[in-house]
Amino acid sequence: MKLPDFDRRELERLHARRDFIQKAAAGTVLTAFGGGLYVLLDQLFGNEALAQTRDDGRERVPPGQRVISRLKPMGGEEGDTNPSAFALRVHGEVEEPFTLDWKGLLAMPQTTRRSDVHCVTGWSVLDAEWTGVTMKALAERARPTKRARHVIFEAAHGYSANVPLREALGPAAMLAHRLDGKPLAAAHGAPVRGVVPDLYFWKSAKWLTGLRFVSRDEPGYWERRGYHNHADPWKEERYG
Ligand SMILES: Nc1nc2c(c(=O)[nH]1)N[C@H]1C(S)=C(S)[C@@H](COP(=O)(O)O)O[C@H]1N2
Ligand SMILES: [Mo]
């Protein structure tokens, strides 16, 4: 099967870099790092995390991932980042469809929680601190029908990501408008993005415009382009 060219190149680059780091860490030529001191620091961070176990018993850092200290902006076609333009449609298989504007979003119970982010290209960020509204709170308001099985996260310019209901309503799943105490940056999906931390990060749609509950699964943007339909980092569900 054909992989998307951009991500394959990125993946190969990250692999090459990881090999290099492992060789360097094995013992020699620190001078070869030049400007790459932060790379070394990231590696030290990661090594500590490699020994940790999550509450659910899984290892903290999924296989094939390397820990870095902050999110990399991974691109995508930006939506309108102005909060006054924000309108989120909650629709599909729900008893009470509604549209949420910025004020409406802030009027809902606000949650701040730390979670780890795992990008399919090989980087992970630990303890990103997200503030926003939990998916559970939104679902309580919309009341998914008995037929609902998946949530399609809909975003600007037709981007979408499909997530099974179980994970979409999991304890860490939320709509975030702040990251690490600051309003979400444009590049990271301002004003509001989805956060589904226990699946690869492409499931966390930026510039969010809708949550559509569906009875039948519907592959999203990357899932239709060769990425795995489910995206569990611990099973390395990278490509379909
Ligand atoms: N709307 C939208 N959301 C998106 C994307 C996109 O292209 N458009 N890219 C996804 C991918 S592939 C990744 S890895 C993450 C990257 O998020 P970041 O740029 O905040 O690191 O966003 C995801 N959400
Ligand atoms: Mo990605």
Side-chain angles (χ1 to χ4, degrees), residues 43-200:
Q43 187 62 15
L44 293 174
F45 242 137
N47 283 341
E48 192 187 292
L50 286 175
Q52 295 174 356
T53 304
R54 296 158 44 108
D55 289 343
D56 62 14
R58 294 186 287 186
E59 52 194 36
R60 179 96 191 256
V61 182
Q65 296 296 110
R66 172 181 66 90
V67 176
I68 62 174
S69 49
R70 57 169 62 201
L71 297 192
K72 287 206 226 184
M74 299 297 284
E77 208 177 332
E78 233 175 69
D80 192 332
T81 62
N82 193 332
S84 68
F86 178 69
L88 180 86
R89 267 186 86 198
V90 182
H91 60 133
E93 285 288 344
V94 294
E95 307 287 354
E96 291 290 336
F98 60 92
T99 299
L100 209 54
D101 64 7
W102 180 248
K103 264 174 77 178
L105 183 82
L106 296 185
M108 291 192 67
Q110 302 292 301
T111 299
T112 293
R113 89 172 268 162
R114 291 174 180 274
S115 55
D116 300 341
V117 168
H118 308 295
C119 175
V120 69
T121 60
W123 58 262
S124 293
V125 169
L126 305 179
D127 284 331
E129 190 193 86
W130 304 102
T131 300
V133 176
T134 64
M135 285 291 293
K136 202 163 157 279
L138 283 155
E140 272 163 17
R141 181 159 161 189
R143 291 190 286 122
T145 68
K146 284 199 292 283
R147 288 159 47 84
R149 292 285 178 278
H150 308 265
V151 178
I152 311 300
F153 287 77
E154 302 173 321
H157 310 291
Y159 187 90
S160 64
N162 56 325
V163 179
L165 205 58
R166 201 165 59 90
E167 279 134 334
L169 302 185
M174 56 193 288
L175 303 193
H177 56 82
R178 296 178 79 82
L179 168 60
D180 296 332
K182 283 172 292 208
L184 205 56
H188 293 303
V192 178
R193 79 178 299 164
V195 178
V196 187
D198 290 348
L199 298 177
Y200 283 125

